[in-house]
Amino acid sequence: DFSSTSCTFDATSMKCMPTVKVFKSEGLRNVLKAVVRHTTSCLIRHSKWILDHDLNELSQIERASAECCASEAKTCLESLGSVVCYTAWLFCAEERVAIDHHSSAIIVRDEFLSELTRSIENLPEMSSRKKTTFTKKVKLHFLLSLVEEFAFPLQDAVGKMIGLEDVLDCV
């Protein structure tokens, strides 16, 4: 039960799961950091397709191709968001804390903001105002990618930590 507040981490049964075994061998804290960095990087790299984009100016053929790209990018982000959720759960289980404990939220926040800052610095052609708008959209889409129901407390905690608590109340 992923939503349980009493996390039990059966080391024997977990060792039988190849992905969990690899994650544990790398250290779940490090894996959680890497997953968040890669999810953020994917979101920013494919923001053209994931964030609001205008397809009206494209020809019908270009529009069909763009819609396909947008759909694939959004599906990929949603899947990566699920990986973040499950990795955070594994981390919390190993630490013997509930998913709503601040330890996983702090890791997610720190890695997300670090990767976001690094990526934004690589967009020199964007004005300061556009960067602010872009940053807020990226933050929102990252939070919304944490779609697993058991991870809503994590989503809520990270949202508060990155300044989007008012937006999450409306979603």
Side-chain angles (χ1 to χ4, degrees):
D1 179 18
F2 290 114
S3 60
S4 174
T5 56
S6 61
C7 297
T8 57
F9 196 75
D10 182 6
T12 307
S13 65
M14 289 295 178
K15 286 180 182 175
C16 297
M17 300 176 183
T19 304
V20 174
K21 187 176 179 179
V22 169
F23 281 12
K24 285 186 61 62
S25 72
E26 294 296 320
L28 287 168
R29 177 181 300 272
N30 293 333
V31 172
L32 181 56
K33 288 177 176 184
V35 168
V36 170
R37 277 193 313 269
H38 290 295
T39 301
T40 307
S41 176
C42 176
L43 171 56
I44 292 168
R45 184 179 310 116
H46 302 294
S47 62
K48 171 182 176 181
W49 306 114
I50 296 170
L51 305 179
D52 301 328
H53 58 280
D54 187 15
L55 301 177
N56 294 330
E57 297 176 10
L58 302 175
S59 70
Q60 190 169 355
I61 294 172
E62 291 172 325
R63 187 176 307 127
S65 176
E67 287 172 354
C68 183
C69 290
S71 176
E72 288 180 20
K74 289 175 183 178
T75 299
C76 183
L77 177 64
E78 188 173 301
S79 296
L80 287 169
S82 291
V83 173
V84 170
C85 294
Y86 286 107
T87 306
W89 181 85
L90 282 170
F91 171 79
C92 289
E94 185 175 67
E95 296 288 314
R96 304 209 185 290
V97 297
I99 192 77
D100 62 355
H101 191 270
H102 67 278
S103 60
S104 61
I106 290 170
I107 294 169
V108 171
R109 177 206 60 198
D110 289 349
E111 291 304 312
F112 170 73
L113 291 177
S114 174
E115 184 64 26
L116 178 61
T117 301
R118 188 192 64 73
S119 297
I120 293 289
E121 289 172 354
N122 293 332
L123 300 172
E125 71 281 355
M126 200 180 277
S127 71
S128 178
R129 183 176 176 169
K130 284 186 178 183
K131 282 183 182 180
T132 301
T133 302
F134 178 77
T135 298
K136 189 165 185 170
K137 285 182 179 183
V138 168
K139 286 179 178 181
L140 179 60
H141 279 79
F142 177 80
L143 282 178
L144 294 178
S145 76
L146 306 177
V147 296
E148 300 302 327
E149 191 173 329
F150 69 86
F152 286 162
L154 174 67
Q155 182 190 55
D156 188 50
V158 173
K160 289 176 182 172
M161 291 177 176
I162 64 174
L164 291 183
E165 61 276 347
D166 57 327
V167 176
L168 282 179
D169 292 339
C170 298
V171 178

